[in-house]
Amino acid sequence: MRQNKLLMEKVYESVASVLPITAIVLLLSITIAPLPPGTLVLFLFGALLLVFGMGFFTGWS
């Protein structure tokens, strides 16, 4: 139970790290530099994988 709580803390911490950059890129892609839908989906999927990867690899160290 303790490991699950620690993992969730690390995932929340990584969300707090990745979310501002993701929001900036999304804002720029809507306003200044539009991205094709496929590229945008790949970026969002990459951001999601980054969050979980950071959560897993920083949680076990």
Side-chain angles (χ1 to χ4, degrees):
M1 187 70 172
R2 173 75 180 130
Q3 290 178 346
N4 191 18
K5 186 176 180 182
L6 180 63
L7 179 63
M8 289 307 293
E9 287 177 11
K10 293 298 180 178
V11 169
Y12 288 140
E13 183 180 311
S14 59
V15 165
S17 301
V18 173
L19 192 63
I21 301 299
T22 305
I24 290 170
V25 170
L26 286 177
L27 180 69
L28 289 175
S29 74
I30 291 171
T31 58
I32 296 174
L35 292 174
T39 305
L40 191 59
V41 169
L42 288 174
F43 172 74
L44 292 174
F45 184 65
L48 183 69
L49 289 177
L50 180 63
V51 165
F52 285 114
M54 286 174 62
F56 282 124
F57 290 113
T58 59
W60 304 120
S61 60

